[in-house]
Amino acid sequence: MKTAAKKSSSKVLCVLYDDPVNGRPASYPRENIPKLKKYPGGQTLPAPNAIDFTPGELLGSVSGELGLRAFLEKGGHKFVVTSDKEGPKSAFEKELPDADIVISQPFWPAYLTAERIAKAPKLKLAITAGIGSDHVDLEAAIARGITVVEVTYCNSISVAEHAVMQILALVRNYIPSYEWVIKKGWNIADCVERAYDIEGMNVGTVAAGRIGLAVLKRMRPFDVRLHYFDKHRLPKSVEKELGLTYHPNVESLVRACDVVSIHCPLHHETEGLFNDTLLAKMKRGSYIVNTARGAICDRDAIVRALKSGRLAGYAGDVWFPQPPPKDHPWRTMPHHGMTPHVSGTTLSAQARYAAGVREILECWFAGRPIRNEYLIVDGGKLAGAGAHSYTRGQIKSAR
Amino acid sequence: MKTAAKKSSSKVLCVLYDDPVNGRPASYPRENIPKLKKYPGGQTLPAPNAIDFTPGELLGSVSGELGLRAFLEKGGHKFVVTSDKEGPKSAFEKELPDADIVISQPFWPAYLTAERIAKAPKLKLAITAGIGSDHVDLEAAIARGITVVEVTYCNSISVAEHAVMQILALVRNYIPSYEWVIKKGWNIADCVERAYDIEGMNVGTVAAGRIGLAVLKRMRPFDVRLHYFDKHRLPKSVEKELGLTYHPNVESLVRACDVVSIHCPLHHETEGLFNDTLLAKMKRGSYIVNTARGAICDRDAIVRALKSGRLAGYAGDVWFPQPPPKDHPWRTMPHHGMTPHVSGTTLSAQARYAAGVREILECWFAGRPIRNEYLIVDGGKLAGAGAHSYTRGQIKSAR
């Protein structure tokens, strides 16, 4: 594994989401977050030498600075944090030309297009504070020898919990029922004409990596029939333990399922996967939850399927672009239960990815190898987690 | 087990919730509901000789009539269905004096108070189309020799699913995040300053009967620490399998937990259980989900705890009274995620309880015993499921 040689001073450009509205300080309902011992399966948690933040506080927004300022400035580095990321006049583009390291988050992605990479001759390291590096043009990074890393596993369980929540919320018609409370009604029939138990339904995941498998495990006690498709088939022992039906392709999966939860990365083979053609193969009244990437679904095909009744509901937290414009049709389409891209940036997740970014930077500056499981692109090729999950080729929506 | 002798003609008075607003016919997103083989643990599903309805359609509202009209009229019985249940001028009170059988649902409870029972000299059988007979004055029913039955297990899993959904929704701050989508925003920090993963938290149930145990089982793969209190301790093997910590009383439970889900029946010992005193023993920033009965919680103490921050969130679907008035403070208190009382009346549950009521009526008219597990009061005493779950004594809120 290749890393940069130790440098005396780097410019670190960090793009984070905005603070709470009107500069209001964050308010926390709880005093702490649970301490975990390790990730499921045994991968160790991020292990920086030290942290300068309080786990459970807001780290992913501009004022939180991922808890990195003291560490970086003590090391003699320049640290620039902004939320201003769109267009040639943005702070991001202005600061990019002499940046050595870029840090960005999937929730507020600073799209590192080929054009932008061309404008950043010193750029050697792109860190995703989270999981999913599709906002980086990986082909351009490969060509330029830029190392792309992410904090693998830091928020996989966070996303899995969100997906299970939204599966239940769609099938049980949660939010429309909540709204009758707010509207001062007690319209049971109006609430329940679209409300079902999930018990006995067929529930499947597209991909069964860390997140997909965590979703399947969590759905198991609901007495549903579980299905999955993945390029890499799970061990027979896992299939047997969870009662999984394997499908060799997505078409087969969606034909069998009442609920489909999407957990594959975005690359050129998955971009636009859920289009009119695939949606037409789903059962009438199916549900989709997509906490992977918005561009895996054809925006307008989803709207059409909800209007025609092919889909009974759509939820998730990923959009394209991010943030979506005010007139993005997913904000107003019928029977949706979407959130902004928040599943992987709970206060719990933030503490882990802030620690993971710190660990990565400590390694980078010391010339020590970055963990293999964090690598997406290294040494001019897909590497580590990237070699497992991604395929080469251009993503249109990453531009 | 005592049942009434066969009668040539009975008057069956059935109180159901209203149809969809403005007489709109129900619209169903799906073509059917899954077929289940049995309940968890082996209890058989309702087994009437026949049904006259399509499972998956709206049966619990006035026009649905629980699918009973053809059966009852063919048997020579009089069948009156109404949603008008409140006050002396209601259809319910007008029809009650010569009713032999009353059918009601927890979602739209026709409160069978001692006063009303006194006005119904012919009443011999009170059926709950669902679970929970606290809307019947059981002491008065015992005194009068009225048999009280419910369709045990018909919607236990429905309620458990709802509770798990609402636990996740509170901890992950789902609905406020959804609302930022609707408000055209992308306010990640505003969404997540109250959003956590549930992983690693302490989650407990008050009671671990059919519903409570189903909740514990469903929470198990979330890698939480599970706790419960119940008058009847679970077998050691179940405690071990699920990693449960048993608490000998509710105070001990709430001190240990971040999330408490309530699954005990309402009787005089549980009425008002969650009052200021008990809430003061909870950790700051705890969550309560109550899908049992509204009156188990002190209405105003809950509001105070949400305002003070003792509670970080409250959800559930049960209220007192039902329907709650437009100015019921739970509609507008902060950080709630409540629904009307719908968890046990999904389209899936309706098919089961409609079949269960049909089974009970078939038994009753034929002079055959009603299943022991359906009995709450029989032969002038608590019986069957009632003897397991209820205690003698007056409930104030049932009046």
Side-chain angles (χ1 to χ4, degrees):
Chain A
M1 220 242 59
K2 192 184 123 191
T3 59
K6 188 172 178 176
K7 299 180 63 173
S8 58
S9 176
S10 292
K11 175 174 171 181
V12 180
L13 175 55
C14 183
V15 181
L16 299 175
Y17 49 78
D18 288 308
D19 287 312
V21 283
N22 304 326
R24 178 177 57 74
S27 73
Y28 307 109
R30 297 175 54 78
E31 277 147 27
N32 50 51
I33 57 173
K35 282 186 182 141
L36 307 181
K37 290 181 180 169
K38 56 179 172 53
Y39 294 116
Q43 185 185 313
T44 54
L45 294 165
N49 295 327
I51 56 169
D52 301 316
F53 59 83
T54 304
E57 295 193 348
L58 198 59
L59 302 165
S61 66
V62 170
S63 65
E65 298 188 318
L66 296 176
L68 292 172
R69 183 164 297 279
F71 161 69
L72 287 171
E73 293 188 344
K74 200 170 167 186
H77 306 290
K78 188 175 178 194
F79 187 41
V80 178
V81 179
T82 181
S83 67
D84 181 22
K85 69 184 183 76
E86 300 295 341
K89 291 183 177 171
S90 63
F92 180 60
E93 286 223 12
K94 282 184 196 160
E95 298 284 353
L96 190 60
D98 62 343
D100 300 280
I101 298 170
V102 166
I103 304 171
S104 179
Q105 295 183 108
F107 327 108
W108 187 254
Y111 294 103
L112 261 180
T113 59
E115 294 72 23
R116 281 176 161 175
I117 286 173
K119 290 178 192 165
K122 300 175 71 179
L123 185 63
K124 282 284 175 288
L125 178 64
I127 304 175
T128 300
I131 304 176
S133 296
D134 49 276
H135 59 284
V136 180
D137 188 315
L138 298 182
E139 291 294 325
I142 285 168
R144 263 280 306 282
I146 295 169
T147 295
V148 182
V149 296
E150 53 190 52
V151 189
T152 304
Y153 227 144
C154 67
N155 54 14
S156 301
I157 299 304
S158 316
V159 176
E161 289 184 6
H162 207 78
V164 172
M165 173 185 80
Q166 291 188 317
I167 289 169
L168 292 170
L170 288 183
V171 171
R172 304 191 63 79
N173 205 34
Y174 180 31
I175 291 179
S177 303
Y178 163 82
E179 286 172 342
W180 278 113
V181 169
I182 304 305
K183 287 186 282 188
K184 316 291 188 198
W186 189 258
N187 298 52
I188 307 279
D190 298 275
C191 295
V192 301
E193 65 176 347
R194 299 184 66 87
Y196 297 89
D197 297 343
I198 198 161
E199 185 187 22
M201 285 192 180
N202 288 278
V203 178
T205 64
V206 178
R210 292 178 187 83
I211 302 173
L213 184 57
V215 169
L216 292 166
K217 282 183 178 172
R218 281 158 180 72
M219 291 310 304
R220 175 67 173 152
F222 285 89
D223 292 335
V224 290
R225 295 176 209 176
L226 292 173
H227 304 254
Y228 80 105
F229 157 75
D230 198 301
K231 291 192 298 178
H232 310 275
R233 191 158 176 180
L234 292 166
K236 287 277 177 197
S237 59
V238 176
E239 288 188 356
K240 193 175 173 190
E241 182 195 344
L242 297 176
L244 303 180
T245 300
Y246 173 72
H247 293 264
N249 54 60
V250 177
E251 290 72 16
S252 168
L253 180 86
V254 304
R255 282 185 199 281
C257 287
D258 304 296
V259 180
V260 173
S261 194
I262 303 175
H263 301 291
C264 56
L266 173 63
H267 49 67
H268 79 289
E269 289 177 3
T270 61
E271 189 174 25
L273 177 64
F274 280 79
N275 57 17
D276 287 313
T277 309
L278 187 63
L279 290 165
K281 291 172 180 161
M282 299 186 78
K283 295 185 201 178
R284 177 176 173 269
S286 294
Y287 306 90
I288 291 177
V289 170
N290 177 11
T291 51
R293 283 298 178 263
I296 295 168
C297 292
D298 177 322
R299 186 191 71 178
D300 297 332
I302 294 294
V303 177
R304 282 190 288 272
L306 286 165
K307 287 182 176 169
S308 74
R310 174 65 54 188
L311 289 181
Y314 182 92
D317 69 331
V318 287
W319 306 64
F320 182 78
Q322 291 191 171
K326 289 188 192 305
D327 64 352
H328 193 295
W330 287 6
R331 292 185 186 272
T332 50
M333 63 189 178
H335 312 308
H336 86 76
M338 298 203 65
T339 64
H341 194 169
V342 294
S343 67
T345 184
T346 53
L347 296 174
S348 326
Q350 290 176 48
R352 289 190 294 271
Y353 68 65
V357 171
R358 170 84 178 246
E359 177 192 331
I360 288 165
L361 290 170
E362 285 177 0
C363 290
W364 182 262
F365 293 135
R368 292 199 310 269
I370 296 167
R371 297 192 204 200
N372 195 55
E373 63 253 35
Y374 289 172
L375 298 178
I376 302 301
V377 168
D378 191 52
K381 58 178 172 44
L382 290 175
H388 181 273
S389 302
Y390 286 83
T391 61
R392 297 279 303 258
Q394 288 289 342
I395 299 173
K396 283 173 289 200
S397 57
R399 305 241 170 108
Chain B
M1 217 241 66
K2 193 185 123 192
T3 60
K6 187 172 178 176
K7 299 180 62 174
S8 57
S9 176
S10 291
K11 175 175 172 180
V12 179
L13 174 57
C14 183
V15 180
L16 298 175
Y17 48 77
D18 288 309
D19 287 313
V21 281
N22 304 326
R24 178 178 57 74
S27 72
Y28 307 109
R30 298 176 53 78
E31 278 148 26
N32 49 51
I33 56 172
K35 283 189 182 135
L36 307 181
K37 289 180 182 169
K38 57 179 172 52
Y39 294 116
Q43 184 184 315
T44 55
L45 294 165
N49 295 326
I51 57 169
D52 301 316
F53 59 83
T54 304
E57 296 194 346
L58 198 57
L59 302 165
S61 66
V62 169
S63 65
E65 298 188 320
L66 296 176
L68 292 172
R69 182 163 299 279
F71 161 70
L72 287 171
E73 292 188 346
K74 199 170 165 186
H77 305 290
K78 188 176 179 192
F79 187 41
V80 178
V81 180
T82 182
S83 66
D84 182 21
K85 70 184 181 75
E86 301 294 341
K89 291 183 178 172
S90 64
F92 179 60
E93 286 222 13
K94 282 185 196 162
E95 297 284 352
L96 190 60
D98 61 343
D100 300 281
I101 298 170
V102 165
I103 304 171
S104 178
Q105 294 182 109
F107 327 107
W108 188 256
Y111 295 103
L112 262 180
T113 58
E115 294 71 22
R116 280 175 162 176
I117 286 173
K119 289 178 192 166
K122 298 175 74 179
L123 185 62
K124 284 283 177 290
L125 178 65
I127 304 175
T128 299
I131 304 176
S133 297
D134 49 275
H135 59 285
V136 179
D137 187 315
L138 298 182
E139 291 294 325
I142 286 168
R144 262 281 305 281
I146 294 168
T147 294
V148 181
V149 296
E150 53 191 51
V151 189
T152 304
Y153 228 145
C154 67
N155 55 13
S156 301
I157 300 304
S158 316
V159 176
E161 289 185 7
H162 207 79
V164 173
M165 174 185 79
Q166 292 188 316
I167 289 169
L168 292 169
L170 288 184
V171 171
R172 304 191 62 79
N173 206 33
Y174 181 29
I175 290 178
S177 303
Y178 164 83
E179 287 173 342
W180 278 112
V181 169
I182 303 304
K183 286 185 283 188
K184 315 291 187 198
W186 189 259
N187 298 52
I188 307 278
D190 298 276
C191 295
V192 301
E193 65 177 346
R194 299 184 67 86
Y196 299 88
D197 297 343
I198 198 160
E199 185 186 21
M201 286 192 180
N202 289 278
V203 178
T205 63
V206 178
R210 293 178 187 84
I211 302 173
L213 184 58
V215 168
L216 292 166
K217 283 183 177 173
R218 281 158 181 73
M219 291 310 305
R220 174 69 173 152
F222 285 88
D223 292 334
V224 290
R225 295 176 210 176
L226 292 173
H227 304 255
Y228 80 104
F229 157 75
D230 198 303
K231 290 191 299 179
H232 310 274
R233 191 158 177 180
L234 291 166
K236 286 277 177 200
S237 59
V238 175
E239 287 188 356
K240 192 175 174 190
E241 182 196 345
L242 297 176
L244 304 180
T245 300
Y246 173 73
H247 293 265
N249 54 59
V250 177
E251 289 72 17
S252 168
L253 179 87
V254 303
R255 281 186 200 280
C257 287
D258 304 295
V259 180
V260 173
S261 194
I262 303 174
H263 301 292
C264 55
L266 172 63
H267 49 67
H268 79 287
E269 289 176 4
T270 62
E271 188 175 26
L273 177 63
F274 281 80
N275 56 17
D276 287 314
T277 310
L278 187 63
L279 289 164
K281 292 172 180 161
M282 299 186 79
K283 296 186 200 177
R284 179 178 172 269
S286 295
Y287 306 90
I288 291 177
V289 170
N290 178 11
T291 50
R293 284 297 178 265
I296 295 168
C297 292
D298 177 320
R299 188 191 70 179
D300 298 332
I302 294 294
V303 177
R304 282 190 287 272
L306 286 166
K307 288 183 176 169
S308 75
R310 174 66 51 187
L311 287 181
Y314 183 93
D317 70 330
V318 288
W319 306 63
F320 182 78
Q322 291 190 173
K326 289 188 192 305
D327 65 352
H328 194 294
W330 287 6
R331 292 185 185 272
T332 50
M333 63 188 178
H335 313 306
H336 86 76
M338 298 203 64
T339 64
H341 194 170
V342 295
S343 67
T345 183
T346 54
L347 295 174
S348 326
Q350 290 175 48
R352 289 190 293 269
Y353 67 67
V357 171
R358 170 84 177 246
E359 177 191 330
I360 288 165
L361 290 170
E362 286 177 1
C363 290
W364 181 262
F365 293 135
R368 292 198 311 269
I370 296 168
R371 297 191 202 199
N372 194 54
E373 64 254 36
Y374 289 172
L375 298 179
I376 301 301
V377 168
D378 191 52
K381 58 180 172 42
L382 290 174
H388 181 272
S389 301
Y390 286 82
T391 60
R392 297 278 305 260
Q394 286 290 342
I395 300 173
K396 281 173 288 197
S397 57
R399 306 242 171 113

